[in-house]
Amino acid sequence: MSATALDLQILRAFVLAAREGSVSRAAERLHLTQPAVSLQLKRLAEETGLQLFTRTPHGLALTADGAALLPQAERVLSAVGDLQQAARNLQGTVRGALRIGTILDPEFTRLGMFLRELVESAPQIETELRHGMSGTVLAQVLRGELDVGFHLDADEEDGDDAAAPAPLAARTLTRFTYRVVAPAGWGPQVLGRDWKALAALPWLATPPESAHHRLLNKVFGPLGLSPRRVALVDQEASMLDLLKSGVGLSLLRDSIAIRESQSHGLVMADRVQLGCALRFVSLASRRNEPVIASAWNALARAWN
């Protein structure tokens, strides 16, 4: 057999002629003329050096050599078909890198469910997780340093997009309450007290990028108050440890505040609380980019 690669069209002509037992019917299936198909079968016989067919009163019949080659030819065409289908599938595959800004604990943001949905629906996307404070994540999304991210802000109860800066697309995932929590034994100092009275107590401060800082500024700023800050904390776990150690007041998500008050005797202020919303954001101008759109779709499934 010549080293020249066999033309796939010649193999198709051979397979169809063998199946149909007729050059004319094979030509119809291939949308070719009979002489063209006959020429292809002749070329295959020359390339292989074998007699592949014999003529009978009823048409074509495979020789023993032709019958031996037929399964091989069918496998080649099947493999080529699989290759072409794989190529078509890849043309529609979303691929690329997705930089995700995360905050708080993964359970609260349903991060695991979100990533599972993303991996199952778009396995060619490579994810990069960057954990930070809410304000930092928002700023990085706005600068294009992150593609999507989770963000906390005051719950304005006015829709998903209205509370986000104009360049952003945003979806509110859940609304919850922050409670003012004090160390065990501080009941007399915090129970029945308003914001003005609480401002005079020692507080655990957080960086400007944190949701705590922004939420408390919205309360104390209009009142002209500045809480007495005794420590600067940038992680929720450290904040909770300092609370248990009796250092000062802080904000805690309602679910955590209730749990810690029951298990460690922390005291929740009973006259004040702050509404907050967890949102998912991206630049509105990039919302329909394939990778980012896949992230939004995965998020919807994780939160529905």
Side-chain angles (χ1 to χ4, degrees):
M1 179 176 176
S2 168
T4 304
L6 290 175
D7 190 316
L8 290 176
Q9 188 64 25
I10 292 177
L11 289 182
R12 293 189 181 96
F14 169 58
V15 169
L16 283 174
R19 289 175 180 170
E20 299 291 341
S22 166
V23 172
S24 61
R25 288 196 293 270
E28 289 177 7
R29 295 279 302 277
L30 291 169
H31 304 290
L32 297 173
T33 64
Q34 291 187 42
V37 173
S38 295
L39 181 59
Q40 290 174 342
L41 296 179
K42 180 180 178 182
R43 285 183 57 193
L44 180 60
E46 292 172 349
E47 287 284 347
T48 60
L50 301 171
Q51 182 180 353
L52 303 174
F53 294 97
T54 59
R55 293 192 176 275
T56 72
H58 304 290
L60 294 180
L62 283 170
T63 63
D65 289 339
L69 285 185
L70 180 60
Q72 304 293 335
E74 290 175 330
R75 278 194 286 271
V76 170
L77 293 177
S78 178
V80 170
D82 291 343
L83 178 64
Q84 292 171 334
Q85 183 60 52
R88 286 191 291 269
N89 292 341
L90 287 173
Q91 288 173 357
T93 298
V94 177
R95 66 189 70 223
L98 180 71
R99 300 163 299 176
I100 306 168
T102 69
I103 59 174
L104 302 174
D105 56 272
E107 182 179 3
F108 184 68
T109 58
R110 301 190 189 179
L111 182 61
M113 295 174 62
F114 165 52
L115 290 179
R116 183 190 68 193
E117 293 290 344
L118 183 62
V119 167
E120 290 180 353
S121 61
Q124 297 297 322
I125 292 179
E126 297 180 1
T127 58
E128 176 186 341
L129 302 181
R130 299 183 191 174
H131 191 80
M133 286 178 285
S134 176
T136 303
V137 168
L138 182 65
Q140 290 177 334
V141 170
L142 288 169
R143 292 195 299 265
E145 297 169 5
L146 289 172
D147 302 306
V148 298
F150 296 91
H151 174 62
L152 295 176
D153 207 349
D155 182 12
E156 306 293 347
E157 295 286 353
D158 55 3
D160 289 353
D161 295 325
L168 292 175
R171 172 179 171 174
T172 298
L173 303 176
T174 187
R175 293 180 165 91
F176 63 98
T177 302
Y178 268 118
R179 302 295 299 270
V180 176
V181 181
W186 286 35
Q189 292 100 306
V190 299
L191 295 177
R193 307 294 181 176
D194 59 13
W195 286 113
K196 183 176 181 180
L198 294 174
L201 298 174
W203 279 80
L204 302 176
T206 58
E209 297 82 7
S210 76
H212 289 196
H213 183 94
R214 287 180 279 111
L215 290 170
L216 289 174
N217 272 359
K218 286 187 176 182
V219 172
F220 290 129
L223 297 175
L225 299 174
S226 180
R228 185 156 63 91
R229 295 164 178 170
V230 294
L232 182 67
V233 189
D234 63 358
Q235 292 186 3
E236 197 171 58
S238 300
M239 185 179 302
L240 188 55
D241 187 63
L242 292 176
L243 266 173
K244 294 176 182 177
S245 299
V247 176
L249 306 181
S250 182
L251 295 179
L252 286 180
R253 281 176 276 153
D254 46 7
S255 58
I256 298 176
I258 293 170
R259 182 191 70 203
E260 294 298 328
S261 67
Q262 293 173 345
S263 58
H264 293 94
L266 300 186
V267 181
M268 290 189 294
D270 54 355
R271 286 191 56 190
V272 297
Q273 61 184 29
L274 294 169
C276 193
L278 172 67
R279 295 187 172 96
F280 188 76
V281 298
S282 71
L283 283 174
S285 60
R286 302 185 61 202
R287 172 67 175 78
N288 294 322
E289 291 181 12
V291 170
I292 293 177
S294 295
W296 278 95
N297 293 336
L299 180 91
R301 292 191 296 273
W303 278 88
N304 284 345

